[in-house]
Amino acid sequence: MNAPAQFRANSARDDSFSQFDVTPATPVLGAYVSELHLAEVTKAAAEELRAALWRYGVLFLRDQHLTPEQLTAAGYLFGPQLEEHTFGKTMADEGHPEVLVIEQMQSDRAKTTTDIWHHDVTARQNPNLVSVLQASEVPFGADTMWTSAAAAFEWLPDALKVLFLSLDVEHDTAYMALRHDFAPADKLADLVALGESAIHPAVIRHPFNDRLCLFVGNGYTKRIHGYSAEQGEHLIKLAIDQAKIPEIQVRFQWQPGDIAIWDNLGTLHYGVTGDLRNQKRLLHRVAAWSPDIRPSLDRQAAIDAVMTP
Ligand SMILES: [Fe+2]
């Protein structure tokens, strides 16, 4: 198993940022950003924030307490459009259809899709680029974890790198809802009618940092093109197992008002729910995307680079 190319030797502050403080959270993924409030981001700070995100994959900012308007404005720092979720609860009634409400009680009968390793909304042709998630109420232990999709690829043996570089994967929202018993029964027909599905390479070239990232999760992934369902399931499991490598993960323990900003193409995430008993889990999320950015791969060049010693 090879260590990722961008392995960091210690948690010393990253001096390449001048607008705020950046401290790596693990050798591979994640950084804490301090001395910055997201409601007051200058142009220079926004540029550095994006640079920090493409380098670290996920940024943690404590004590932000943003209003829905401020959360929305923070989302626009990372892309020209904000997602309006297909089936999730939103703040549309309060005038914020782009703010997704992630609310969960132990008594909820519906299974949620947070406790699986996944990228968000990959069944879209132009999936989210960046998510900005703020905690309102988080029970003790209901942490969120991220894993590096770039390290997940880099830690594969070369033969499997070439295999995954050659694959295309179909992602489908209705399939995801059925597979994980997620959507309420009365919404399933709507999801099927919506027909939200997309085909993406199993490995993508990240549009902002050029790293190759494994783009297969246990969310919307339906099947591998050209493979039987049985063969495809083996390959999908191989990919998901990469996300589970502890050395390429980071785990964040929320406090109310904290924010996590993540690169949705360069990371996968997992919401640890555990036993909430009678406690409530409540977070709010906006996500930026661009009609000009689709997951893509320079396939033959990437395969040649792996094959060339
Ligand atoms: Fe998610």
Side-chain angles (χ1 to χ4, degrees), residues 47-58:
E47 277 176 26
E48 283 204 350
L49 204 55
R50 289 187 286 269
L53 187 60
W54 311 142
R55 183 177 303 179
Y56 288 101
V58 53

Side-chain angles (χ1 to χ4, degrees), residues 78-82 125-129 208 288-294:
F78 301 98
Q81 305 277 345
L82 294 185
Q125 304 292 332
N126 307 81
N128 296 343
L129 301 174
F208 300 112
W289 62 281
S290 168
D292 300 325
I293 300 178
R294 282 186 64 165

Side-chain angles (χ1 to χ4, degrees), residues 223-290:
R223 66 189 184 96
I224 307 278
H225 265 218
Y227 287 72
S228 68
E230 290 81 3
Q231 290 169 329
E233 283 296 324
H234 286 300
L235 295 173
I236 292 166
K237 184 174 186 312
L238 266 177
I240 295 166
D241 282 349
Q242 284 300 104
K244 298 176 182 171
I245 298 172
E247 285 84 352
I248 65 172
Q249 297 173 348
V250 64
R251 182 170 184 144
F252 187 57
Q253 294 184 303
W254 297 95
Q255 297 291 330
D258 289 350
I259 282 198
I261 304 172
W262 72 86
D263 168 356
N264 191 50
L265 301 184
T267 65
L268 298 91
H269 56 283
Y270 183 110
V272 180
T273 48
D275 183 356
L276 301 180
R277 300 183 188 272
N278 291 320
Q279 301 179 84
K280 185 176 173 184
R281 186 169 183 261
L282 178 64
L283 304 100
H284 296 86
R285 192 197 81 188
V286 295
W289 62 281
S290 168

Side-chain angles (χ1 to χ4, degrees), residues 8 14 17 21-26 29-34 52-53 55-61 250 252 259 261:
R8 280 164 210 288
D14 185 339
F17 298 93
D21 287 354
V22 176
T23 306
T26 79
L29 180 68
Y32 298 99
V33 171
S34 55
L53 187 60
R55 183 177 303 179
Y56 288 101
V58 53
L59 305 176
F60 307 116
L61 296 90
V250 64
F252 187 57
I259 282 198
I261 304 172

Side-chain angles (χ1 to χ4, degrees), residues 102 113-114 116 118-121 131 262 264 269-271 285:
I102 299 164
T113 52
T114 59
I116 51 175
H118 66 285
H119 308 82
D120 286 332
V121 299
S131 288
W262 72 86
N264 191 50
H269 56 283
Y270 183 110
R285 192 197 81 188

